[in-house]
Amino acid sequence: MYQRIVILTGAGISAESGVKTFRDEDGLWESHPIEDVATPEGYAANPTLVEDFYNARWQQLINEGISANAAHVALATLEQSQQVELFLVTQNIDNLHEKGGSRKLLHMHGELSKGRCPRSQQTFMLTEALGPDNVCTCCIPAQKLRPHVVWFGEMPIGMDKIHQALSQCDVFIAIGTSGSVYPAAGFVDIANQVGALTVNVNLAPRDPHCQFQYHWQGKASERVPALVNAILAGQSIAHD
Ligand code: BV8
């Protein structure tokens, strides 16, 4: 029934795993204005504050045994079925898609588990917290690693690959994202323009300004397995 599917995920797919979202109540931005912790200017002004913000999120990921939920696992099942050509892109910087079994995945906003050399742009798996002593091995003198995270005002990763996948897809599905941040929030417009079926999976009811053709309301851990089962069974998902 469907051949080429692009799926975009946001913080909502990780919420039931215990990872805070950004804009729900008690979300990540609650105690930190975006501009202070998720912009190059904020990092330049107060690197320690920004390092603490990302170190805390990284520590939560590796210490609190945060695990993938049924939504992550369902997407990995869809990938492994090889019944469809799946392009999975996430705005999330956690590693829960990988923990759920996904192997082909694009982190368009970077990854918490990595640091990046500000000079060479080479990335390094983090084995200790970001800080003055956590430096690259690619430069002399060694450079302090920055979070491998795309901040506001920075170009997301893999945009050419994402645009190519969107321009050829017959289905675009967004899961657990508020559609507040561009360019990710504009992907649905591209999908609609190329005639793809567009479905939004979200805990919140349909937003009247929403550009998606269909809205599957509910928890990702319940709706995503149902969606994947329907796709694998060759059933239509063109309904609310
Ligand atoms: C760029 C990494 C250009 C950091 C992030 C005015 C108009 C248009 C655009 C702009 C503008 N002013 C500025 C811009 C550009 C800006 C932008 O969009 N700003 C917004 C605020 C207006 N964008 C950028 O700067 C981007 N770069 O434009 O570059 C450029 C061009 C050339 C050369 C150089 C540069 C870069 C943006 C990336 C920022 N980094 N993350 C970090 O993680 O700390 S953004 C961050 O917030 C996330 O990564 C994510 O992308 C974004 C949105 O978060 P969501 O994932 O959607 O999460 P949210 O909490 O918002 O929503 C959760 C949803 O889940 C809710 O809907 C909820 O109902 C639902 N939910 C909750 N629980 C569940 C659930 N659903 C299902 N089940 C559940 N259980």
Side-chain angles (χ1 to χ4, degrees):
M1 183 143 206
Y2 305 116
Q3 264 87 36
R4 286 175 303 285
I5 302 181
V6 174
I7 295 180
L8 169 71
T9 64
I13 198 171
S14 297
E16 293 162 79
S17 296
V19 178
K20 279 186 175 181
T21 67
F22 289 85
R23 293 170 182 81
D24 292 334
E25 69 291 334
D26 89 346
L28 280 166
W29 301 133
E30 190 176 62
S31 44
H32 295 282
I34 289 182
E35 47 283 341
D36 290 356
V37 290
T39 61
E41 296 77 14
Y43 178 62
N46 191 339
T48 309
L49 172 74
V50 175
E51 285 159 356
D52 291 350
F53 178 62
Y54 288 101
N55 284 334
R57 291 167 68 185
W58 175 63
Q59 286 294 342
Q60 186 203 23
L61 221 46
I62 56 176
N63 292 344
E64 289 175 23
I66 300 270
S67 49
N69 64 57
H72 299 105
V73 173
L75 296 183
T77 302
L78 184 61
E79 174 190 322
Q80 281 134 28
S81 76
Q82 299 191 334
Q83 270 185 236
V84 300
E85 200 179 302
L86 175 63
F87 185 93
L88 179 59
V89 49
T90 186
Q91 300 173 92
N92 301 337
I93 60 177
D94 64 50
N95 59 357
L96 296 185
H97 279 297
E98 292 87 344
K99 284 188 174 176
S102 289
R103 291 291 165 267
K104 281 175 63 188
L105 167 67
L106 174 57
H107 282 274
M108 66 178 288
H109 289 162
E111 297 173 74
L112 261 182
S113 57
K114 294 178 181 169
R116 187 189 330 145
C117 171
R119 179 178 294 166
S120 71
Q121 306 309 311
Q122 188 174 329
T123 60
F124 299 82
M125 285 307 288
L126 289 176
T127 53
E128 57 183 312
L130 291 163
D133 304 332
N134 199 340
V135 296
C136 75
T137 55
C138 50
C139 302
I140 298 173
Q143 302 294 309
K144 182 175 80 163
L145 295 183
R146 60 160 279 178
H148 176 50
V149 166
V150 176
W151 287 324
F152 289 93
E154 296 185 321
M155 179 58 88
I157 297 162
M159 288 306 295
D160 47 349
K161 290 196 185 87
I162 296 169
H163 277 132
Q164 187 180 11
L166 284 169
S167 63
Q168 295 165 351
C169 74
D170 47 13
V171 183
F172 173 64
I173 300 166
I175 301 168
T177 181
S178 62
S180 321
V181 172
Y182 290 82
F187 292 171
V188 62
D189 300 324
I190 300 171
N192 280 329
Q193 280 156 18
V194 300
L197 169 68
T198 55
V199 179
N200 193 27
V201 180
N202 201 296
L203 184 63
R206 174 193 281 273
D207 176 329
H209 307 294
C210 181
Q211 299 301 309
F212 287 86
Q213 295 151 29
Y214 300 100
H215 187 90
W216 286 38
Q217 183 177 357
K219 288 181 178 177
S221 65
E222 292 165 7
R223 304 309 327 259
V224 177
L227 190 82
V228 168
N229 290 340
I231 292 169
L232 293 178
Q235 294 161 358
S236 167
I237 60 169
H239 57 79
D240 281 0

